[in-house]
Amino acid sequence: MKKLLIFTLVALFAISCKGQEKDYKTFYDNGQVEKEGKLDENGNSVGEWKYYHNNGQLQLIGSFENKRRKGEWKSYYENGQLESIGNLIDGKMEGEWKTYYENGKQHSIGNYSQTMEVGDWKYFHRNGKLRETGKYADGEEIGEWKEFYDNEQLEKIGYYENGEKVGEWKEFYDNGQLSAIGKFENGENIGEWKEYYKNGKLKEIQIWKNKEPKGEWKYYDEQGNLIKTENY
């Protein structure tokens, strides 16, 4: 009997609390719904909420629990196309998230841990071709990263440490020809850098130190002839 009484009281309390929730809705000046959902007795958002563009299209949908966003959230463009989808825990991005362009092609895919990028990430061009790929640790780029043209040719390749470019980096033209090669230290050009024309001929030789040009710089024409030198 005592257990039954406790159960009844708990049930009545739950119903009472639920009854204290109220619908909430705001509108744009044009009369379209701006957002709608439920508020608890303290005025905090609870349960599923929907947000809209001023043209009436759904903009954002997801749920609140204990004053924070939780579970799957989706955002949309004004044309109704999905913009992003992923999960939140205590209001922070967690796990896999995907983003999209307005044309429906994927923009990015990767994982979050407490709203910081982690692990492998991929970014794409508007035509769906791979644009960039690499790894994150605690929201900063690490290891090898590659960038690509929208024709799938490699554009850049190099390494990061703690979000800064380090070591040798190479850049290429969209025909695959090397356009530049040199080294970075703490995200800054260091030592000798070489740039090339699209025909493969040497274009410039540069020297960098402490973020500034140093020594003799050499410039060449498209036939490979030295045409100018400058000293720093």
Side-chain angles (χ1 to χ4, degrees), residues 4-230:
L4 179 60
L5 179 60
I6 293 174
F7 175 79
T8 303
L9 289 172
V10 170
L12 287 172
F13 179 74
I15 292 171
S16 175
C17 288
K18 186 175 182 180
Q20 291 170 357
E21 292 179 1
K22 62 179 181 180
D23 294 329
Y24 184 82
K25 188 180 291 188
T26 62
F27 299 85
Y28 289 104
D29 291 339
N30 63 4
Q32 292 284 357
V33 177
E34 180 183 16
K35 60 184 176 182
E36 60 181 347
K38 291 183 180 296
L39 299 176
D40 64 17
E41 61 181 338
N42 297 313
N44 299 314
S45 301
V46 293
E48 183 179 86
W49 274 74
K50 294 179 180 179
Y51 302 77
Y52 299 87
H53 293 284
N54 60 15
N55 66 355
Q57 284 283 358
L58 183 64
Q59 181 182 26
L60 190 64
I61 182 171
S63 296
F64 287 88
E65 186 175 297
N66 298 324
K67 304 180 184 180
R68 296 181 178 180
R69 294 189 294 168
K70 182 179 180 181
E72 183 177 86
W73 278 73
K74 296 179 181 179
S75 65
Y76 297 84
Y77 291 103
E78 287 190 22
N79 65 2
Q81 174 61 49
L82 181 66
E83 181 181 15
S84 67
I85 180 172
N87 284 281
L88 294 109
I89 298 177
D90 291 332
K92 296 180 179 179
M93 294 177 172
E94 292 287 348
E96 183 177 87
W97 276 74
K98 296 178 182 178
T99 62
Y100 299 85
Y101 290 105
E102 287 185 75
N103 64 5
K105 296 290 187 181
Q106 192 166 38
H107 171 269
S108 68
I109 180 172
N111 286 275
Y112 285 95
S113 177
Q114 297 190 1
T115 311
M116 292 188 294
E117 298 95 333
V118 293
D120 294 321
W121 272 74
K122 291 181 180 180
Y123 300 87
F124 301 87
H125 290 283
R126 286 184 174 273
N127 65 1
K129 300 295 185 181
L130 184 64
R131 175 171 62 86
E132 192 172 5
T133 180
K135 292 179 181 289
Y136 286 97
D138 297 329
E140 295 185 335
E141 299 95 331
I142 60 167
E144 184 179 81
W145 277 73
K146 294 179 180 179
E147 295 181 31
F148 299 86
Y149 291 101
D150 58 10
N151 66 356
E152 299 183 304
Q153 280 284 353
L154 182 63
E155 182 178 5
K156 297 179 183 179
I157 182 171
Y159 289 83
Y160 283 90
E161 283 184 7
N162 302 318
E164 301 282 1
K165 290 181 177 180
V166 296
E168 184 177 85
W169 275 74
K170 293 180 180 179
E171 301 178 10
F172 302 86
Y173 291 105
D174 57 6
N175 66 355
Q177 176 61 48
L178 183 68
S179 66
I181 183 171
K183 292 184 177 182
F184 283 94
E185 186 176 277
N186 298 321
E188 302 292 341
N189 296 43
I190 188 74
E192 183 178 85
W193 273 78
K194 292 181 178 180
E195 294 186 6
Y196 297 86
Y197 290 103
K198 206 167 186 177
N199 64 7
K201 295 292 186 179
L202 185 62
K203 181 180 181 180
E204 294 181 25
I205 297 179
Q206 312 167 355
I207 306 294
W208 292 87
K209 186 177 181 180
N210 297 326
K211 304 180 184 181
E212 297 181 351
K214 295 291 182 181
E216 185 179 65
W217 283 41
K218 297 179 180 180
Y219 302 84
Y220 301 82
D221 63 22
E222 291 191 52
Q223 287 69 50
N225 302 308
L226 181 65
I227 55 174
K228 185 174 69 171
T229 62
E230 291 182 347

